[in-house]
Amino acid sequence: MSFDRTRLPDPIEYYENLAGLRFKERGGKWRTTACNFHGGSDSLRINTASGGYICMSCGAGGGDVLAYHIAAHGLEFVQAAQALGAWVEDGRPFNRTKPKAIGASDALDLLAYEIQLAAIAITDHAHGKPCTEEDAARLRVASGRINSVREAHYE
């Protein structure tokens, strides 16, 4: 069993048809809608290319439609991937290993490094430098590492 990201639904299709959100405007990569996490209007920003989302009021956020589906429905990763058709039965067993706890000092160092990387990417973007696919992939790694620290903290 494995996760196949390419099988996730198109972000616009997911948010409009499956999540039932209504965008306030058309066109552009980022669109605005109501936030179902705190009940606010016009505060949730959705990236229609990646599926990432962030609420400008409550701070709810994630990197793709799978993250939204997990948060919105209180599902585990595998349940959400199955619900969205991105879980492939390939005959291999699924062995999810939980992240190991690391010391507070190491965790802070890792977070500082990854956040600095994200800040550089944001600054580049603000100055008109396009994000390459390699940069986007590295930012996804950074997001995963930050989430691993969070998960290890709450174990």
Side-chain angles (χ1 to χ4, degrees), residues 32-129:
T32 302
T33 189
C35 178
N36 291 334
F37 295 105
H38 78 281
S41 63
D42 299 341
S43 59
L44 188 68
R45 306 295 187 266
I46 294 177
N47 183 309
T48 59
S50 70
Y53 67 98
I54 182 76
C55 177
M56 300 303 169
S57 292
C58 72
D64 58 18
V65 297
L66 181 64
Y68 184 91
H69 202 73
I70 288 169
H73 299 284
L75 300 173
E76 293 291 324
F77 173 83
V78 174
Q79 293 172 309
Q82 288 171 332
L84 296 177
W87 191 254
V88 180
E89 300 291 338
D90 58 8
R92 296 183 313 197
F94 177 65
N95 297 322
R96 179 174 181 181
T97 57
K98 298 214 179 225
K100 293 184 175 130
I102 61 175
S105 178
D106 290 337
L108 289 172
D109 287 345
L110 182 139
L111 293 172
Y113 178 80
E114 299 300 352
I115 290 169
Q116 184 176 21
L117 176 74
I120 291 168
I122 290 167
T123 302
D124 286 349
H125 179 72
H127 289 100
K129 180 181 176 192

